[in-house]
Amino acid sequence: KIAGFIESVTVDFGGGISKEFLAGLALLAVGAALIFLPRKKAAAPAAPAARKGGVGTRSEISDDSIRVNCPEWIVLDTETTGLSPFEDRIIEVAAVRYKNGQPLDQFVSLVNPGVPLDPESTSLTGITDRELKKAPAFAEIAPKVRDFIGELPVVAHNAVFDVDFLITECARAGVKIDIKYINTVRMAKWCLPPQPDYKLATLIEAFGLSDHAQEHRALSDVEACENLYMLCRSKKAGKV
């Protein structure tokens, strides 16, 4: 259409138009056409690899009677090389099975991520490359983690972070895991007085739940999360 427009202008004016003028006219016409072209919406982010093809799923438990009264559950925590489950790796996992608030069994393991740790990860967790060299790759423990969790609800603080890492690591290992979870961040906002923030360390200190001496180590964080979860349950017991 643009070429036809230029040709018609040339005919109307007897061909007495310079090439430079026609080139400028063409650029203006192209710009005008682009302005009025329909624009496509930006593509949605690709679905997480771990959730394609039914490899693994997560769903939050929203039924208050289950969140407050379930008799048995798993408390989970992971330590990782970073914040993205698709670019980073788990370096430590801890899961403890509780029944009516009493620990029954636990699964705790360091994990070799296959890449060197950056200084920030070591500073945050205290975990070193030397320790991880002797640890199993996640693929070696994925079936054990899945079997340990089974069909029990998983309790975690900022649960989507830990659950997404776990599902993604299991997917890399070809292990399907479906997790129903209870988020103690949401429970704390629901059950407890307002706080300046809802970090696990903040809540533990605010309510005197434990000394939490090894923050950012998986088993210590599990124990702190369990204490917070039990506090939230007690606050809501008999009210749902």
Side-chain angles (χ1 to χ4, degrees):
K1 290 183 178 180
I2 293 171
F5 171 70
I6 293 173
E7 184 179 354
S8 69
V9 171
T10 304
V11 171
D12 289 344
F13 285 88
I17 301 177
S18 69
K19 291 182 179 179
E20 290 79 6
F21 178 82
L22 288 175
L25 192 62
L27 288 174
L28 287 173
V30 169
L34 289 175
I35 290 173
F36 294 101
L37 282 175
R39 297 186 179 182
K40 293 182 179 180
K41 293 183 179 179
R51 301 182 69 187
K52 287 181 179 177
V55 172
T57 61
R58 61 170 165 84
S59 57
E60 184 170 7
I61 296 172
S62 57
D63 186 327
D64 294 338
S65 64
I66 296 175
R67 291 195 292 184
V68 171
N69 298 316
C70 62
E72 194 169 347
W73 59 90
I74 301 286
V75 181
L76 172 73
D77 188 76
T78 61
E79 301 302 328
T80 68
T81 60
L83 300 178
S84 169
F86 312 113
E87 297 176 2
D88 299 303
R89 297 292 184 270
I90 289 176
I91 57 175
E92 187 178 36
V93 58
V96 179
R97 181 181 295 119
Y98 290 90
K99 186 171 184 178
N100 297 321
Q102 299 300 313
L104 296 180
D105 197 4
Q106 66 180 41
F107 180 93
V108 182
S109 181
L110 290 172
V111 180
N112 187 335
V115 295
L117 293 180
D118 60 33
E120 185 178 354
S121 295
T122 297
S123 175
L124 186 68
T125 64
I127 298 171
T128 65
D129 283 318
R130 186 175 181 179
E131 293 176 277
L132 297 183
K133 277 185 179 180
K134 303 174 184 177
F138 194 89
E140 298 176 53
I141 66 170
K144 298 176 183 177
V145 174
R146 176 200 57 199
D147 294 345
F148 185 84
I149 291 174
E151 297 183 359
L152 291 174
V154 169
V155 176
H157 200 70
N158 192 22
V160 170
F161 177 89
D162 297 289
V163 169
D164 276 358
F165 260 98
L166 198 63
I167 290 174
T168 306
E169 289 280 26
C170 283
R172 291 189 187 105
V175 173
K176 183 178 186 295
I177 184 168
D178 299 317
I179 297 177
K180 295 179 180 179
Y181 67 90
I182 296 169
N183 188 351
T184 51
V185 172
R186 195 183 299 277
M187 285 199 75
K189 290 179 178 180
W190 174 49
C191 300
L192 304 177
Q195 299 298 312
D197 65 66
Y198 287 85
K199 295 176 183 176
L200 183 58
T202 300
L203 297 170
I204 291 300
E205 183 178 357
F207 297 99
L209 298 176
S210 69
D211 58 14
H212 201 200
Q214 286 188 295
E215 185 181 358
H216 297 299
R217 288 305 300 263
L219 184 57
S220 177
D221 285 354
V222 161
E223 293 167 350
C225 183
E226 167 65 8
N227 289 334
L228 175 62
Y229 178 55
M230 292 305 294
L231 174 65
C232 291
R233 281 173 64 111
S234 68
K235 292 288 186 182
K236 286 295 182 180
K239 297 182 181 179
V240 296

